[in-house]
Amino acid sequence: MPTTKKKTQVTATPERRAELLRTAAEVFAAQGYNATTVRKIADAAGMLAGSLYYHFDSKESMLDEILSTFLNELWDGYDAVLAAGHGPRETIEALVTESFREIDRHRAAVAIYQKEARHLADQPRFHYLADSQVKFEKAWLGTLERGVGAGVFRADLDVRLTYRFVRDTVWVAASWYRPGGQHSPDEIARQYLSMVLDGIAVRNP
């Protein structure tokens, strides 16, 4: 009785897998998830589309790994900040700085998250995106409210409006930031915090 040979599953090295995911993230960020095909990712990686299936079973799997890796690393940083016991202003400063560091490390993933998270969160596989958003909002609003209560931030501050402004103006940096540019993530965070917390107008003595 003839035997049928099974296709051998190729396991990528961690370095090659990470390289393929970086390529996929750039394509998703540039073209959008729905418009991106496995063939487009394979072309960008310099390989045949069929070969990519040796490493990932679908473009959905690639996107899942890109976003979950980014969010897990983001929350490792955020949780460390929130557990450090800083005052409200210092916590905001540390959260903003950690955010810009994540943009430096995962710029394409941040861009994908900004564009795609809302509709992806309706899918069971990506429900963690909605959970993360709730946790994200709680962390920022809680810190702002604590600052108002402690007299560190203005009593008339609309904390929800402030949260939305800070959230959107920080993460939109993924659309223009390029790693290795003129300013480091920490320098960008410092300049940003100076504008948000202290303003841009010269204060009269």
Side-chain angles (χ1 to χ4, degrees):
M1 181 176 181
T3 58
T4 302
K5 291 185 178 180
K6 293 183 178 180
K7 185 182 291 186
T8 303
Q9 182 69 44
V10 176
T11 302
T13 64
E15 293 78 12
R16 178 57 173 161
R17 188 179 184 84
E19 180 185 350
L20 291 173
L21 287 172
R22 282 194 297 271
T23 299
E26 292 294 340
V27 179
F28 285 137
Q31 301 189 19
Y33 176 67
N34 288 334
T36 297
T37 63
V38 170
R39 180 177 295 278
K40 288 181 179 179
I41 297 171
D43 287 346
M47 62 195 303
L48 297 174
S51 299
L52 196 58
Y53 283 112
Y54 281 120
H55 308 293
F56 304 96
D57 60 15
S58 65
K59 71 171 188 176
E60 184 182 54
S61 293
M62 286 183 273
L63 183 66
D64 186 9
E65 191 163 340
I66 289 164
L67 291 176
S68 61
T69 298
F70 154 60
L71 286 174
N72 287 338
E73 188 171 309
L74 175 71
W75 278 108
D76 283 345
Y78 271 22
D79 287 341
V81 169
L82 296 169
H86 298 309
R89 176 171 176 138
E90 291 76 17
T91 299
I92 290 293
E93 290 173 342
L95 289 173
V96 167
T97 300
E98 187 61 37
S99 298
F100 279 109
R101 289 172 179 169
E102 285 303 310
I103 292 171
D104 180 63
R105 289 188 285 255
H106 298 287
R107 184 200 59 79
V110 173
I112 297 166
Y113 182 84
Q114 289 291 94
K115 295 176 185 177
E116 311 282 359
R118 181 167 295 182
H119 73 266
L120 284 173
D122 293 332
Q123 302 178 28
R125 182 168 189 166
F126 294 98
H127 190 70
Y128 63 84
L129 298 176
D131 295 338
S132 184
Q133 181 57 42
V134 170
K135 187 178 177 183
F136 189 83
E137 184 172 309
K138 182 178 178 181
W140 284 86
L141 287 178
T143 303
L144 290 167
E145 289 167 352
R146 184 160 59 94
V148 171
V152 175
F153 303 140
R154 296 197 328 255
D156 65 338
L157 193 70
D158 184 322
V159 293
R160 186 164 291 275
L161 183 61
T162 303
Y163 156 68
R164 288 173 176 168
F165 171 79
V166 171
R167 175 195 65 191
D168 292 348
T169 53
V170 167
W171 293 113
V172 77
S175 67
W176 54 261
Y177 177 80
R178 293 296 179 271
Q182 182 179 357
H183 301 292
S184 70
D186 285 27
E187 172 61 17
I188 295 173
R190 187 186 69 78
Q191 291 281 350
Y192 175 85
L193 287 163
S194 175
M195 289 184 283
V196 170
L197 298 177
D198 301 319
I200 63 173
V202 175
R203 296 185 178 184
N204 295 323

